[in-house]
């Protein structure tokens, strides 16, 4: 598991809170955490647990995965998937059922394409290992 990058998480949370037009106290109340604790998270002084991040995400109406990436809990390689999911979930023009259907379709395409991506990654690694040594021929 990656180490927490608490400073960036705090800045990100503050920005999300401001975009949601919530005061520190309002977000703390909605997430079920104390006002001082949330302030310490935003200032990079505290490392919240995954459960606290989930509560904050729910209160901010963003995906918990987005906060996990910001906190360094979720691997950076998963960022594109997380961002795609976050965009779908945040789209105000879609109702909840439509969002869930889109996410199911997205998941099915990712699963369908996963073997090809894994094979391509494995092939690239083998190709790099099989390169003949470079020689200077005149």
């Amino acid at each position: 598991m990656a180490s927490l990058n608490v400073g960036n998480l705090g800045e990100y949370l503050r920005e999300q809170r401001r975009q949601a037009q919530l005061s520190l106290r309002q977000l703390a109340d909605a997430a079920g955490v104390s006002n001082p604790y949330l302030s310490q998270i935003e200032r990079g002084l505290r490392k919240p647990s995954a459960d606290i991040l989930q509560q904050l995400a729910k209160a901010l109406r963003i995906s918990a995965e987005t906060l996990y990436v910001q906190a360094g809990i979720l691997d950076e390689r998963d960022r594109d998937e997380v961002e795609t999911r976050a965009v779908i979930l945040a789209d105000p023009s879609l109702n909840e059922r439509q969002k869930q259907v889109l996410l199911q379709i997205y998941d099915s395409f990712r699963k369908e394409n996963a073997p090809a991506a894994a094979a391509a990654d494995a092939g690239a690694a083998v190709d790099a290992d099989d390169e003949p040594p470079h020689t200077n021929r005149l």
Side-chain angles (χ1 to χ4, degrees):
M1 184 182 313
S3 64
L4 293 178
N5 191 345
V6 183
N8 288 343
L9 172 65
E11 294 167 16
Y12 183 79
L13 273 174
R14 184 179 300 114
E15 181 59 31
Q16 292 300 309
R17 178 175 59 77
R18 289 179 177 160
Q19 286 181 9
Q21 298 179 341
L22 294 171
S23 69
L24 193 71
R25 186 172 310 280
Q26 288 170 320
L27 178 57
D29 289 344
V33 299
S34 73
N35 191 45
Y37 181 64
L38 179 57
S39 175
Q40 290 173 351
I41 294 171
E42 283 193 0
R43 290 183 288 141
L45 302 175
R46 290 286 188 147
K47 297 178 181 180
S49 67
D51 288 338
I52 297 296
L53 290 173
Q54 189 170 22
Q55 290 170 229
L56 289 167
K58 185 176 180 182
L60 289 167
R61 298 182 180 195
I62 60 175
S63 73
E65 290 84 2
T66 301
L67 290 184
Y68 296 159
V69 168
Q70 290 296 320
I73 294 172
L74 191 61
D75 195 322
E76 186 69 26
R77 293 176 304 213
D78 297 330
R79 180 182 283 277
D80 289 340
E81 178 184 355
V82 169
E83 288 176 352
T84 300
R85 291 177 175 285
V87 168
I88 291 170
L89 291 171
D91 189 333
S93 66
L94 301 174
N95 66 39
E96 289 305 311
R97 176 71 183 131
Q98 291 168 330
K99 291 175 185 180
Q100 292 308 311
V101 169
L102 272 175
L103 289 173
Q104 288 172 352
I105 292 168
Y106 178 67
D107 286 340
S108 71
F109 283 142
R110 287 185 56 82
K111 286 177 187 168
E112 181 179 313
N113 294 336
D121 288 345
V126 169
D127 289 345
D129 291 340
D130 289 344
E131 278 188 30
H134 295 286
T135 58
N136 290 333
R137 292 190 180 164
L138 298 175

